[in-house]
Amino acid sequence: MSEALVTLDNLTVKRGGRAVLSGIHGCFERGSMTAIMGANGAGKSTLLKSVMGLLPSAQGRVIRTPHDLDIAYLPQQAAIDHSFPVSVGEVVAMGAWQRVGGFGALKQREWRRQVAEALARVGFDDISKRSIGALSTGQFQRVLFARLLLQNAEMVLLDEPFAGVDAATTRDLLALVCEWHQQGRTIVAVLHDINQVVRHFPATLLLAGRQIAWGNSEEVLSTEHLQQALGMSGSAEQSEGSRL
Amino acid sequence: MIDWLDQTLWMPFTDFGFMRRALIAGFALSISAGPVGVLLLLRRMSLMGDALSHAVLPGAAIGYLVAGLSLWAMGIGGLVAGLLVAMMAGFTSRRSRLREDASFAGFYLISLAGGVMIVSLRGSSIDLLHVLFGTILAIDANTLYLIAGISSVTLLVLAVIYRPLVMECFDPEFLRTVKGRGGWAHHAFLLLVVLNLIAGFQSLGTLMAVGMMMLPALVARLWTSALGSMMLLSVLVGCAASLIGLVVSFNAGVASGPAIVLSAGAFYLISLVISPGGLLGRQHR
């Protein structure tokens, strides 16, 4: 039996006094690759933030094993100010924070090499001196993935990693995510493309403010479950083809 | 022509000690207030600098009531008042429905009115003008040491907290996910803002101290997209505005504080039109 890395024990999270997520129960096993799906407002991002410890639980709890589990988190792009005057290299180098902290020394040559390597892995020549304001959405997402590479964490949480990103970038970044999974890392990603999930993600957690289903992706993404997810989310959004 | 330039630009500083001290005070202020202003701008706290500059007034006024026009009494009073307002605004924004900017607005308006009332209790309108608009031409050696000291401390502290401060400003959520603590860097930064406003109000007064902080920062933001260059450019603009403002003030016989801030304002208006990030530029988003 696989080891539980993060266990959600009857987790309920409130925002603005209203429960946006309730009664989530289950676990992310070590080395698993799980998609989180649901309509807008279903609580997907809230769940990731709870796992990260960015939001407190109103009831229940999040149990990380070990307690100081190393987790890397990719936020939605909209959460980051693209006009901020920092360079690509500086953003990628942030991934080294846990090793060097706020005051630790960064050996210039060493971190430049690591940044260049990470950028190369996401398909860039050395663009470390370029301002992030000059990047397209897809290019910026590659840079954030390079930052994840430097974090080198055991568990990786991705919040809509392919939203607004071109097909070539999606293909390259998805390949990188699959590679992380093969290396034994635990992956949890908020996604909307059902075909992509069925093809690449063995497990799925389907949400609609509460847990609709959690398990094997093909079983979870049944028509019955999807109808429940759309009907219960309170969202006007409807499933369009293979997207939720 | 050379004689005219000599008389206009050079002579004020070679012949008059108060002009030399004013120029050095302006440079010292620019060296620290510029980078602080850049960070305020990037943290979307431009108007909070203004609010804090007004917030120091009652403390400075109480210092004045207790010890007259004492540099240290007014400085310490201003520091305590500025920090109190910053803390109370932060506290109420966390515990009430009001956002931080609204909390700041409430407390600084009370502070400003309270400060003016305290000065009016015992002082003359000349004293009030000194506090509100400063007297850069009356700067003595002690005031110069205070301004230079604040400037040096600011640069040192900024160098130490630079990484967490910038990261907390750019991507605070990321900082929390890597267990970095940006809160203390934010508080240390607010302390620097208040300290620089204290230095600024000794020379430019509470009403215009923030001008030397924000206008050079705005100019720098319009011209460059790299943080280091922005800070350097803000310092250069502040120094240039100090020099030009003092020269204009001396030769035209106008008040020096407003002349300096208006010089920085001229840099801003020109940059707003011709810079890459300005109205005619193509780099704005």
Side-chain angles (χ1 to χ4, degrees):
Chain A
M1 189 174 167
S2 295
E3 177 191 354
L5 209 57
V6 172
T7 303
L8 308 180
D9 179 16
N10 198 27
L11 178 69
T12 294
V13 183
K14 290 184 177 178
R15 295 183 96 166
R18 190 177 69 89
V20 288
L21 205 57
S22 59
I24 309 299
H25 198 84
C27 70
F28 298 106
E29 293 173 348
R30 184 183 294 279
S32 61
M33 186 162 171
T34 309
I36 298 182
M37 300 199 78
N40 287 346
K44 306 181 293 293
S45 298
T46 300
L47 182 83
L48 290 195
K49 288 183 178 181
S50 297
V51 172
M52 282 307 303
L54 296 173
L55 289 175
S57 54
Q59 281 175 28
R61 56 190 179 147
V62 177
I63 305 161
R64 300 176 199 87
T65 314
H67 180 67
D68 59 348
L69 176 66
D70 195 9
I71 310 176
Y73 170 63
L74 178 85
Q76 287 184 25
Q77 278 215 27
I80 297 178
D81 179 6
H82 291 218
S83 67
F84 197 89
V86 288
S87 69
V88 167
E90 287 166 331
V91 173
V92 177
M94 286 178 184
W97 177 277
Q98 282 189 307
R99 273 170 280 155
V100 297
F103 310 104
L106 272 173
K107 288 180 183 168
Q108 287 281 322
R109 189 177 294 176
E110 175 60 17
W111 84 258
R112 277 194 185 139
R113 183 186 63 76
Q114 288 187 24
V115 167
E117 279 178 10
L119 286 172
R121 288 284 305 281
V122 296
F124 283 132
D125 292 332
D126 190 4
I127 58 160
S128 56
K129 288 186 179 164
R130 195 184 293 181
S131 165
I132 59 164
L135 302 178
S136 68
T137 305
Q139 287 172 323
F140 188 66
Q141 196 70 332
R142 287 177 190 258
V143 168
L144 292 180
F145 266 75
R147 184 170 78 175
L148 289 174
L149 278 165
L150 240 70
Q151 283 186 260
N152 194 27
E154 194 174 351
M155 183 175 192
V156 184
L157 307 186
L158 307 165
D159 197 349
E160 304 201 16
F162 312 124
V165 170
D166 60 277
T169 302
T170 300
R171 185 194 62 225
D172 293 349
L173 296 182
L174 185 57
L176 191 58
V177 173
C178 292
E179 191 182 318
W180 286 338
H181 178 227
Q182 284 164 6
Q183 289 167 354
R185 296 180 209 272
T186 308
I187 312 290
V188 180
V190 171
L191 296 169
H192 288 282
D193 187 332
I194 295 173
N195 289 337
Q196 189 180 60
V197 170
V198 170
R199 210 174 305 137
H200 299 284
F201 285 73
T204 295
L205 166 58
L206 188 60
L207 297 174
R210 69 176 182 84
Q211 184 173 325
I212 301 292
W214 191 345
N216 177 281
S217 289
E218 289 192 8
E219 291 168 14
V220 168
L221 296 171
S222 66
T223 307
E224 182 191 353
H225 286 151
L226 290 173
Q227 280 174 345
Q228 276 187 54
L230 288 169
M232 291 174 62
S233 68
S235 164
E237 184 185 66
Q238 295 295 313
S239 176
E240 294 172 13
S242 65
R243 296 188 67 80
L244 186 64
Chain B
M1 179 67 181
I2 290 174
D3 275 355
W4 180 83
L5 282 175
D6 185 50
Q7 285 291 314
T8 309
L9 298 177
W10 196 242
M11 186 274 287
F13 301 108
T14 54
D15 288 10
F16 299 100
F18 70 88
M19 285 294 284
R20 283 197 297 277
R21 285 193 294 276
L23 185 64
I24 292 169
F27 284 178
L29 195 59
S30 301
I31 286 170
S32 62
V36 168
V38 165
L39 289 163
L40 268 176
L41 177 71
L42 293 175
R43 297 168 80 84
R44 300 170 194 223
M45 290 172 66
S46 304
L47 291 175
M48 276 183 216
D50 195 35
L52 276 175
S53 75
H54 293 65
V56 303
L57 188 60
I62 290 171
Y64 163 71
L65 276 188
V66 171
L69 282 172
S70 157
L71 173 70
W72 292 101
M74 291 173 69
I76 291 170
L79 178 66
V80 171
L83 291 178
L84 267 179
V85 166
M87 284 193 296
M88 286 192 292
F91 178 77
T92 51
S93 66
R94 284 193 298 275
R95 299 293 179 90
S96 74
R97 187 180 289 175
L98 295 177
R99 288 177 184 271
E100 196 171 20
D101 60 330
S103 301
F104 260 100
F107 283 111
Y108 102 74
L109 288 167
I110 293 169
S111 294
L112 180 61
V116 172
M117 183 171 280
I118 291 168
V119 174
S120 71
L121 282 177
R122 270 231 334 238
S124 65
S125 59
I126 293 173
D127 296 330
L128 182 61
L129 284 177
H130 169 80
V131 176
L132 290 178
F133 300 108
T135 46
I136 193 166
L137 296 182
I139 280 178
D140 57 15
N142 281 337
T143 312
L144 202 52
Y145 292 146
L146 176 73
I147 294 173
I150 288 176
S151 182
S152 306
V153 167
T154 301
L155 291 186
L156 279 172
V157 174
L158 272 186
V160 171
I161 67 172
Y162 184 82
R163 201 186 295 164
L165 188 63
V166 171
M167 199 182 304
E168 202 246 347
C169 189
F170 168 61
D171 193 351
E173 203 163 63
F174 176 79
L175 192 60
R176 287 174 65 198
T177 65
V178 293
K179 311 290 187 288
R181 294 187 178 182
W184 66 268
H186 176 72
H187 290 117
F189 176 66
L190 281 182
L191 175 64
L192 291 183
V193 174
V194 175
L195 275 175
N196 277 271
L197 291 170
I198 298 297
F201 104 78
Q202 298 289 348
S203 48
L204 299 169
T206 55
L207 290 185
M208 262 174 279
V210 78
M212 286 299 280
M213 206 174 264
M214 296 319 304
L215 286 167
L218 293 172
V219 172
R221 184 73 181 109
L222 288 167
W223 284 100
T224 174
S225 294
L227 188 51
S229 311
M230 276 178 70
M231 290 184 171
L232 183 61
L233 187 56
S234 71
V235 170
L236 294 175
V237 169
C239 289
S242 299
L243 177 63
I244 294 168
L246 284 171
V247 167
V248 169
S249 164
F250 184 86
N251 290 288
V254 294
S256 51
I260 291 172
V261 177
L262 281 174
S263 301
F267 277 111
Y268 168 63
L269 291 175
I270 294 166
S271 302
L272 197 56
V273 177
I274 64 170
S275 69
L279 300 174
L280 302 180
R282 285 179 295 172
Q283 289 181 14
H284 44 95
R285 293 163 61 93

